[in-house]
Amino acid sequence: KQLGRVLDASLLYEPRPSTPRKINHCSPTANVLLVAHCIQDGDEHKVTVSSGFALKAASQLQEESLVVTCAHTFEEIRRSPLMLAAHGQSRRVSSGSFVICSEGIFPVTDIISSLPRSDLMIMSCKNPQLTTLPVSPYPAHPGTRVLGHLVSHEHLEEPGWSPWIRSSWSKWAGGTVLGYRDFAGRETMPGTYDALSHLLFSPLPTAGSSGGPIVDEETGAVIGVMLGTRMDNRVEGTRGWGVPSETIFEMFSLPGLEGKK
């Protein structure tokens, strides 16, 4: 029922955030969140993890935060054999989603809105103190230098990695916006009437970094969300695959129109 739902709140436009809110190489990676979807049936269990980040928008519930993440890790749990078998036998299983940060583990109370075609969803979380990231509504042009939040679940010797959450590691890695595609896979460009459904970028996301931010290195604002990797063509090879941050705004009211139907 939350498919494509437009919230009665607006997401703050921050194409050029103030200095304290800008994201750069030195920004705490702890401001990016770990999202876990879990299911248990007796001795059997399954967990999928992704990244996410909190949004600067009013929640319907005063003591909660709104967190955006990718949708495919949630769908992986929802369609897992454990869940399907339980439904087929009319049995209840233990399941839940959690936002994990340096302060602790906080249950997800609801899926507020989702755009499955764009692989995005917004959840509410029982922690009103999560640090929000600035989000730009404007697409970055190809060639724009960006930072991607990468995750590793083992300690790597490469420079730049720092402890993240629950024995995992992360870092801000430099890269570039490589281009855009519409839902049919055709090349599109900012400044035209074409739909900018997905973006191609470097560096390549690592396992667990899906749902994490892509940041404009100059402005310090989020301009996209990482989803994974995709083979672009045989010449260019595998590239990072994500969605531009303007897609997040599709789930929010326009400024000044909150609560209007």
Side-chain angles (χ1 to χ4, degrees), residues 75 117 179 215 219 225 254 256:
E75 285 298 310
R117 195 178 186 190
V215 176
T219 66
V225 179
L254 293 174

Side-chain angles (χ1 to χ4, degrees), residues 22-23 31 39 69 72 74 89 95 117 125 127 138 164 166 171 190 211 214 217 219 233 240 242 253:
K22 284 185 178 179
I23 306 168
N31 291 343
I39 180 173
T69 186
H72 67 263
F74 176 76
Q89 300 172 23
S95 63
R117 195 178 186 190
C125 166
N127 181 353
Y138 307 124
W164 187 42
R166 302 278 168 167
K171 71 174 180 178
I214 305 168
E217 196 172 88
T219 66
N233 57 58
S253 298

